[in-house]
Amino acid sequence: MQPEDDLKSRIEAALVRGHFTQWQRQFLLDMRDRLVKYGPRTRLSAKQWAKLYEIIGPAPPNANASPQSRSDRPPSSPRWQTRRWRSPLAREARYLAARFARTFGIALALIVGSLIYSFIIRGGHVTWPSMPSFARSGGSEWVPLARTQFTITDGDTIRLNGAAKGTRLVGFNAPESIEPRCDSERDLGRRAKARLKELVAEAKLELKMVPCSCPAGTEGTDKCNYGRRCGLLFADGRDVGDVLVSEGLAVSFVCGSTSCPPTPRPWCG
């Protein structure tokens, strides 16, 4: 096994068995994606190495065969590795602050770009930036959605550009690919995620935001669907959930107006 493959496997194993803060989980996902993309050409800073080994455990004896140059490897001193980032609360605060700054910057860039376009190209008639209309109107109607306006988190979850949380697609439940309960769920979860990417790749997409099935006054908070919004996604006129269910990659999951039954997870027996 190549060193980068071994490290990627250790990260995935940690994601399955560990309980992390949002910052730690996103950090591990970013490191895994970087290893997948660059393989043996992956380069990490000394700080990133130290943080990675702090989360997943000390490096094995053959860690010197890392997928990057020797100059970027973390110092061998345990004291250096534990001196910084002592407080999980401080890490989480820095992570949330960075996300807020990034989201604010994207929104500001869109507004400035719209103003420039309006006054130079359209003769002074101000228009909204090119972003999903439900981000402005509250999402009570079907709106067209471009593939470049969101990323796919899992077989039943997407994240709109600039959104702090994902959007849970309702009416079905897909197996988990990030925190599966068994190997068969992990494999099926990856297939469901890949299939969703295929469905939206070239299709005409429409999204409708709907109320989540939560007690009144909790939507938008962690007490309701982990802070995620809820929606329906259609590709070429078909609900993507119906397609995944019909292909055995998801199961039907219908909630009431303020609560849901136990989440169906039949993949581990």
Side-chain angles (χ1 to χ4, degrees):
M1 179 181 292
Q2 296 297 319
E4 61 271 18
D5 293 333
D6 179 68
L7 184 56
K8 180 161 62 71
S9 298
R10 292 183 63 202
I11 292 174
E12 291 177 345
L15 285 168
V16 171
R17 68 174 183 270
H19 298 282
F20 305 111
T21 65
Q22 182 182 2
W23 185 93
Q24 289 172 324
R25 179 167 303 284
Q26 188 62 49
F27 175 84
L28 290 179
L29 291 173
D30 290 343
M31 294 300 100
R32 184 195 63 184
D33 293 344
R34 186 175 298 187
L35 287 166
V36 170
K37 183 175 182 179
Y38 297 107
R41 295 183 291 108
T42 303
R43 298 182 64 85
L44 304 180
S45 68
K47 183 184 294 185
Q48 287 173 324
W49 273 114
K51 188 67 212 165
L52 181 59
Y53 286 143
E54 179 186 328
I55 296 175
I56 69 175
N62 63 345
N64 286 336
S66 63
Q68 63 172 25
S69 67
R70 183 176 300 273
S71 62
D72 288 332
R73 294 174 188 154
S76 59
S77 168
R79 181 172 177 271
W80 184 92
Q81 295 180 14
T82 58
R83 182 172 58 187
R84 297 185 178 182
W85 303 94
R86 292 178 180 175
S87 169
L89 183 61
R91 288 197 303 268
E92 190 74 7
R94 289 188 180 93
Y95 172 72
L96 293 175
R99 290 201 60 141
F100 174 80
R102 183 166 59 249
T103 302
F104 179 79
I106 292 173
L108 182 61
L110 287 170
I111 293 173
V112 171
S114 174
L115 292 173
I116 293 174
Y117 176 79
S118 298
F119 281 95
I120 295 179
I121 306 299
R122 299 179 63 87
H125 298 288
V126 178
T127 59
W128 281 94
S130 178
M131 62 170 65
S133 60
F134 51 80
R136 307 186 300 272
S137 65
S140 61
E141 58 187 24
W142 289 98
V143 295
L145 184 67
R147 180 63 185 89
T148 57
Q149 291 177 308
F150 67 98
T151 57
I152 294 175
T153 304
D154 223 333
D156 54 19
T157 307
I158 64 173
R159 175 174 287 185
L160 302 171
N161 295 350
K165 298 279 187 176
T167 296
R168 177 64 158 85
L169 304 179
V170 300
F172 69 104
N173 186 54
E176 297 287 339
S177 63
I178 298 176
E179 291 186 339
R181 295 186 177 181
C182 60
D183 291 341
S184 60
E185 182 176 10
R186 179 188 298 108
D187 295 339
L188 196 62
R190 290 173 177 172
R191 288 172 54 195
K193 182 177 180 179
R195 179 58 175 141
L196 181 57
K197 288 182 178 180
E198 291 178 357
L199 291 173
V200 303
E202 302 294 338
K204 177 183 177 181
L205 303 176
E206 293 178 294
L207 181 67
K208 181 178 182 179
M209 306 305 295
V210 299
C212 296
S213 300
C214 301
T218 64
E219 186 158 3
T221 71
D222 289 339
K223 295 182 180 180
C224 174
N225 202 21
Y226 305 101
R228 299 175 297 180
R229 301 181 69 186
C230 297
L232 295 166
L233 178 62
F234 274 49
D236 288 336
R238 295 188 65 190
D239 189 324
V240 295
D242 291 343
V243 177
L244 294 178
V245 171
S246 68
E247 296 179 358
L249 299 175
V251 292
S252 179
F253 183 33
V254 180
C255 295
S257 59
T258 60
S259 63
C260 292
T263 305
R265 293 187 174 94
W267 304 284
C268 295

